[in-house]
Amino acid sequence: FAIAGFGLNLNQTIFSVDPKTNSIGTVGNYRYDAISGGIGLGGYLYIDAIPFVDLDLEFSGFGTSYDYLLIINGNSTTYSLPYGSFSGYLTLQKKVLKLSIPILAKAKLTVGAGLNNQTYKSVPDQSDLETLTGSGLSSSSTAPTTDALIEFVKENTDSANGFHIQTGIQFKLLMLDSFLYYRQVFADNVILDGKGFGSLNLRLGMGF
């Protein structure tokens, strides 16, 4: 195996959020439909020159969309809103099994754990809707335009720190590296009202 490598990461985030309707007092309510995991892309760099463990650094994100229904003073508006996260992962990995075909190919099973930071988009709640209407929610309030609500979601993010564990297989064919691994992330509220999420990751890159 090379002492370092870099490349691209393709991931499928695994989670599910149930639909829910929330009241906004006497003015109306908002509802979001079920939200499920999205496809993401990122990049990675690893160093395999440290005794006993490998150091792995990854930046990646995922995105999906969901339907959001807002009813204000009897008028209903439906939106398709973005949902996702951009993350940084620092992982220490350890080899637990290694196989090789002399000169041509190698494979190893690894386990790892580390820290992460998540920057994510939240589902608009009553406080957000009050901000968008300008003067709170009242009998004279109207729903924000689609462009205004989407722009608000894009510009307003939250962040959370967490930790993760992962396991997977690294394949090496000559100078080409590939990884297939599963990661479980523990970070509050990145997924609405949840404690974390999983992801299945495929990496393709070069070792040197």
Side-chain angles (χ1 to χ4, degrees):
F1 281 97
I3 61 171
F6 65 94
L8 296 176
N9 172 57
L10 179 67
N11 64 77
Q12 171 64 57
T13 306
I14 304 168
F15 66 87
S16 179
V17 176
D18 293 331
K20 185 178 181 181
T21 299
N22 295 272
S23 172
I24 46 179
T26 59
V27 176
N29 60 67
Y30 66 90
R31 171 187 171 83
Y32 51 84
D33 285 346
I35 310 172
S36 57
I39 294 176
L41 186 66
Y44 70 90
L45 170 69
Y46 73 86
I47 300 174
D48 192 7
I50 304 172
F52 308 113
V53 295
D54 301 342
L55 180 64
D56 187 283
L57 180 64
E58 178 187 313
F59 293 95
S60 63
F62 75 88
T64 186
S65 63
Y66 65 99
D67 289 333
Y68 184 90
L69 173 65
L70 176 60
I71 301 176
I72 296 182
N73 295 317
N75 298 310
S76 63
T77 308
T78 301
Y79 309 84
S80 180
L81 298 182
Y83 190 83
S85 171
F86 182 78
S87 312
Y89 297 93
L90 177 64
T91 309
L92 294 178
Q93 297 190 107
K94 183 174 178 60
K95 175 187 67 181
V96 294
L97 179 64
K98 183 176 180 180
L99 301 172
S100 66
I101 301 174
I103 302 175
L104 181 61
K106 298 179 181 180
K108 65 180 178 181
L109 175 66
T110 65
V111 295
L115 303 176
N116 59 80
N117 177 265
Q118 310 281 330
T119 299
Y120 61 96
K121 301 181 184 303
S122 299
V123 172
D125 58 16
Q126 181 170 341
S127 177
D128 296 328
L129 296 172
E130 290 174 348
T131 299
L132 277 163
T133 57
S135 57
L137 294 168
S138 67
S139 58
S140 62
S141 297
T142 58
T145 65
T146 298
D147 289 345
L149 186 53
I150 291 176
E151 190 64 24
F152 181 88
V153 172
K154 289 180 177 180
E155 291 182 352
N156 290 269
T157 59
D158 295 303
S159 63
N161 295 318
F163 69 96
H164 58 275
I165 55 176
Q166 64 185 53
T167 184
I169 300 174
Q170 178 186 1
F171 302 94
K172 181 172 175 59
L173 178 62
L174 300 177
M175 292 295 291
L176 298 177
D177 260 341
S178 63
F179 301 74
L180 181 63
Y181 65 95
Y182 176 81
R183 173 187 288 146
Q184 183 65 40
V185 176
F186 301 91
D188 291 347
N189 296 321
V190 175
I191 304 305
L192 187 65
D193 298 329
K195 298 293 185 180
F197 60 91
S199 67
L200 186 63
N201 301 263
L202 174 63
R203 289 177 170 181
L204 297 172
M206 298 287 292
F208 57 89

